[in-house]
Amino acid sequence: MLCAVRGSGRTACPLARVCRNLLAFACIPALFVPGCSRAVDSSPTFKIEHEISPEPARVGPVTVTLRLADAAAKPITGARIALEADMSHPGMSPVFGAAKEVAPGQYQAQVTFGMAGDWVILLHAMLPDGKKLERQFDVRDVRPN
Amino acid sequence: MQVPGLGQLFRWRYARPLLQAPLLIISVVMILHGLFGPTLAPKNLATTLSWLHFRGVLVLVLLCAGNFFCLACPFMLVRQMARRFFKPRFNWPRALRNKWISVALFVSILFVYELFDLWSSPWWTAWLIAGYFLTVLVVDGFFKHASFCKFVCPIGQFNFAASTLSPFEVKVREQDVCTTCHTKDCIRGRRDPSSDLVVIRGCELALFQPRKVGNMDCTFCLDCVHACPHDNIGILSRLPGTELLTDPLRSGIGYFSKRKDLAALAIVFTFGALLNAFGMVSPVYAVERWLGRMLHVSHEAPVLGLIFTFFLILEPAVLLGLAAWLTRAWGGVRRALLPLVVRYSYGIVPLGFGMWLAHYSFHFLTGLYTIVPVTQSAVASLGWPLLGQPRWRLTGLPANIVQVIEVGFLVLGFAGSLVVTHGLAEDDAPDRPLRAFIPWATVCLLLWLASMWLMFQPMEMRATLMSG
């Protein structure tokens, strides 16, 4: 018998007590939940467009074209841009590339995808006024050769 | 236990908490970094440590030593601390004293891993670890002894199955000493003579040392080592896999040949190894797209469900059933079909372990040094770049070198399975062992060829399986 009734009428149930204590313990992680929202870089100051060719991307070298513009859609020239491409799985070799300005506000870089699957490209840009800009975009479904 | 330093450490009563504490700290760091750190898996400690380093080190330690990860299990440290407040009152239900729940959880984790691409999500990885802690607390908060380890923990079952091939085992040194022992402290626990209270726990997994055979169900917790008043239990070397060759009555387990649940664990362990690797190569996406078109579904779950059903139920049923039928018909073995399947399913465990080793060591070795920049980045994100700027170009060993190691593991597993199945065939058909062996050798060959094929497929890692 799991529960016994005391003289006062309250149930002195070991199962209920254990449940209550465990529930209290189980609630601890819930404290983390409100703090778990992600910071999203939603700065409206800059506009970055990207394009990958070939499309869809394949294993091997691909060209990443970036167009940087300010809030007034004026091209941003003279930025220094470094790219880092990572796979969605940890432990895979990241690949790196530096973008060159090929037209005002338009930059191109070559990166070599070593494996099929989903890649994430991290963009680290240093703007002419010294501001740093970091963006991330997905390159899904890179096809095998 | 005779090794200077190591022997004293393991004999020390607090050796386990000492080993568990660092892993608990690492686990907490992983949870926090998974929840609050970078969202990109290769930059996060939760995903990097869980899916690269933990799995890689786990299988290599199992291969080279034994079930030392269960010994250092951080979940059990938290359980021990919690048991100071909650005293479990119930015995694990008799009907559930088997591996079915844990096998189902093992399959569920493999399924969830593929469905939600856990490797690519620090967030979900952190919650998986946190969920594990919670489950341990709930199960062992209610139920006495090591109910979670023995009947629930899917990682533990993985370790139990793999440790049947480990070179070390916790066992008695001299059986004669046990014969004359009256207190049986190794199972009952050492009691205080005046109060009769247990002061050093006996085996919580119901393994009575004098009748314990092999590593199945042994967490290397060393409770028996500490409880034995004769210092007659140690971590001793042995020939890996020998426990799969024989079928004696095992303490806390019974006969392997009568345990369908354990056979299911062996099957899931082996076929799951192939399935888990299959989920990371290009052909799986083609199969998924084809199945999606055939079924007119765009959601991954039903397609994945079909693949799992094929790999974990249909394929083993056909292969092992056919081999068992041939063993009866051709080898003249007088056993029913199902008991034959159960008996020989343990023979494929080395193959499965070879595949897990090949797969996990690939990720571990090719991404070996990634822990350095990820840790540097985590420390730097706290505002103190004490370890310097992250060196993201650090990765690991070249894939072509690791591939040689992978092939070595697969060959080792194949050889192990051939030895075990041959040993079982010799027992079953002493007059014509070859006839009983050939069907199982064929199954092993097929699985090995499949493993080799998988290893040489181009890898493809997606966080969106059904895309395209």
Side-chain angles (χ1 to χ4, degrees):
Chain A
M1 189 168 158
L2 299 178
C3 302
V5 179
R6 281 185 188 148
S8 64
R10 282 185 62 193
T11 305
C13 175
L15 186 64
R17 197 163 54 245
V18 174
C19 277
R20 198 172 53 237
N21 289 338
L22 284 170
L23 197 65
F25 230 88
C27 287
I28 292 171
L31 299 174
F32 289 104
V33 173
C36 291
S37 58
R38 306 300 169 108
V40 179
D41 180 7
S42 56
S43 162
T45 323
F46 306 102
K47 192 177 169 195
I48 302 176
E49 286 177 1
H50 69 270
E51 199 179 291
I52 309 271
S53 79
E55 177 65 42
R58 292 196 163 271
V59 170
V62 296
T63 303
V64 182
T65 306
L66 302 157
R67 286 181 198 86
L68 262 69
D70 60 15
K74 187 182 162 199
I76 298 174
T77 59
R80 279 187 292 151
I81 300 176
L83 298 181
E84 177 188 339
D86 287 279
M87 286 229 73
S88 55
H89 196 289
M92 298 293 136
S93 299
V95 288
F96 299 89
K100 285 181 186 164
E101 192 164 4
V102 292
Q106 186 171 319
Y107 300 80
Q108 263 187 0
Q110 271 219 335
V111 289
T112 304
F113 291 136
M115 193 182 290
D118 291 343
W119 286 78
V120 176
I121 292 185
L122 301 173
L123 178 154
H124 311 278
M126 172 80 87
L127 302 184
D129 60 0
K131 278 185 186 161
K132 282 184 180 174
L133 188 68
E134 299 215 337
R135 288 289 164 87
Q136 170 179 325
F137 53 89
D138 295 341
V139 184
R140 297 225 181 265
D141 199 17
V142 172
R143 305 280 170 89
N145 267 325
Chain B
M1 303 291 275
Q2 303 294 334
V3 180
L6 218 51
Q8 282 98 322
L9 171 70
F10 288 140
R11 276 196 191 88
W12 186 43
R13 201 178 152 187
Y14 298 102
R16 196 179 193 199
L18 182 78
L19 296 169
Q20 288 169 317
L23 287 190
L24 178 61
I25 293 166
I26 293 171
S27 304
V28 172
V29 170
M30 286 162 71
I31 292 172
L32 293 176
H33 207 231
L35 294 177
F36 305 115
T39 52
L40 192 58
K43 309 273 184 196
N44 196 291
L45 282 170
T47 34
T48 306
L49 281 172
S50 297
W51 308 122
L52 286 189
H53 296 85
F54 167 71
R55 297 195 307 187
V57 175
L58 175 77
V59 290
L60 290 173
V61 169
L62 282 162
L63 175 74
C64 301
N67 194 1
F68 286 92
F69 259 97
C70 281
L71 165 66
C73 175
F75 306 122
M76 286 300 110
L77 183 59
V78 173
R79 180 201 77 161
Q80 276 312 106
M81 292 191 287
R83 276 193 173 174
R84 289 173 184 270
F85 307 104
F86 319 117
K87 295 288 178 208
R89 290 160 187 272
F90 310 107
N91 286 314
W92 186 254
R94 192 168 288 274
L96 302 178
R97 289 181 195 172
N98 50 54
K99 302 288 185 191
W100 292 115
I101 289 179
S102 51
V103 169
L105 285 171
F106 188 2
V107 174
S108 304
I109 285 191
L110 292 178
F111 188 81
V112 165
Y113 179 78
E114 301 294 347
L115 185 65
F116 298 115
D117 310 303
L118 291 181
W119 67 83
S120 67
S121 171
W123 170 263
W124 283 115
T125 302
W127 277 110
L128 181 72
I129 303 166
Y132 224 99
F133 276 108
L134 276 179
T135 314
V136 171
L137 287 173
V138 170
V139 172
D140 280 0
F142 278 111
F143 300 102
K144 294 177 190 170
H145 311 300
S147 301
F148 181 81
C149 303
K150 195 171 172 87
F151 303 115
V152 180
C153 181
I155 300 175
Q157 309 316 312
F158 179 94
N159 295 351
F160 294 152
S163 65
T164 56
L165 296 150
S166 297
F168 290 97
E169 178 188 340
V170 177
K171 62 179 179 182
V172 297
R173 290 197 181 89
E174 303 285 344
Q175 280 289 348
D176 294 346
V177 175
C178 297
T179 313
T180 55
C181 175
H182 300 298
T183 56
K184 316 294 181 198
D185 290 353
C186 61
I187 189 90
R188 295 179 61 217
R190 194 186 290 182
R191 287 165 189 272
D192 179 60
S194 54
S195 63
D196 202 36
L197 289 172
V198 173
V199 285
I200 301 178
R201 215 166 40 197
C203 182
E204 285 198 296
L205 290 105
L207 303 175
F208 179 45
Q209 273 296 333
R211 289 182 208 146
K212 174 177 172 280
V213 181
N215 278 334
M216 183 56 76
D217 277 8
C218 178
T219 59
F220 273 52
C221 66
L222 305 181
D223 283 344
C224 56
V225 172
H226 301 138
C228 177
H230 311 289
D231 192 19
N232 191 38
I233 304 172
I235 301 173
L236 308 180
S237 62
R238 56 146 195 189
L239 192 64
T242 40
E243 65 188 272
L244 299 172
L245 281 163
T246 55
D247 191 24
L249 178 61
R250 295 160 202 250
S251 173
I253 292 166
Y255 293 100
F256 264 12
S257 59
K258 292 183 180 172
R259 291 284 304 267
K260 295 185 190 76
D261 55 330
L262 274 180
L265 173 64
I267 289 168
V268 166
F269 178 82
T270 304
F271 286 83
L274 273 85
L275 176 60
N276 193 240
F278 184 57
M280 294 253 160
V281 294
S282 291
V284 73
Y285 300 102
V287 170
E288 285 219 332
R289 277 197 290 266
W290 175 75
L291 277 173
R293 277 199 305 273
M294 295 287 286
L295 300 171
H296 302 289
V297 292
S298 57
H299 198 274
E300 193 179 335
V303 171
L304 209 52
L306 270 181
I307 292 176
F308 267 65
T309 307
F310 174 79
F311 269 94
L312 297 183
I313 297 174
L314 287 180
E315 191 190 17
V318 170
L319 282 178
L320 303 182
L322 207 59
W325 180 76
L326 283 170
T327 309
R328 267 166 57 91
W330 198 40
V333 176
R334 292 176 194 279
R335 281 179 198 255
L337 219 56
L338 188 59
L340 262 178
V341 169
V342 170
R343 179 167 161 75
Y344 282 84
S345 61
Y346 303 106
I348 57 171
V349 169
L351 256 170
F353 191 36
M355 188 65 197
W356 286 115
L357 274 163
H359 183 184
Y360 285 178
S361 65
F362 173 81
H363 289 303
F364 174 58
L365 295 175
T366 55
L368 186 62
Y369 311 129
T370 53
I371 189 63
V372 176
V374 178
T375 309
Q376 286 175 316
S377 165
V379 173
S381 69
L382 297 173
W384 315 303
L386 299 172
L387 303 176
Q389 288 304 311
R391 297 177 62 192
W392 292 115
R393 285 174 196 272
L394 279 177
T395 46
L397 303 185
N400 55 344
I401 292 176
V402 176
Q403 208 158 38
V404 177
I405 299 170
E406 283 181 277
V407 172
F409 285 142
L410 292 180
V411 170
L412 203 64
F414 181 44
S417 278
L418 289 181
V419 169
V420 174
T421 48
H422 186 264
L424 295 173
E426 268 189 327
D427 267 4
D428 284 347
D431 299 335
R432 39 185 181 179
L434 209 59
R435 286 188 167 202
F437 170 60
I438 283 175
W440 299 102
T442 309
V443 169
C444 293
L445 181 67
L446 288 173
L447 292 178
W448 181 71
L449 289 173
S451 309
M452 292 291 284
W453 176 79
L454 277 171
M455 278 299 131
F456 286 96
Q457 287 306 300
M459 281 182 70
E460 189 165 341
M461 289 180 185
R462 294 191 195 180
T464 46
L465 216 58
M466 294 287 282
S467 68

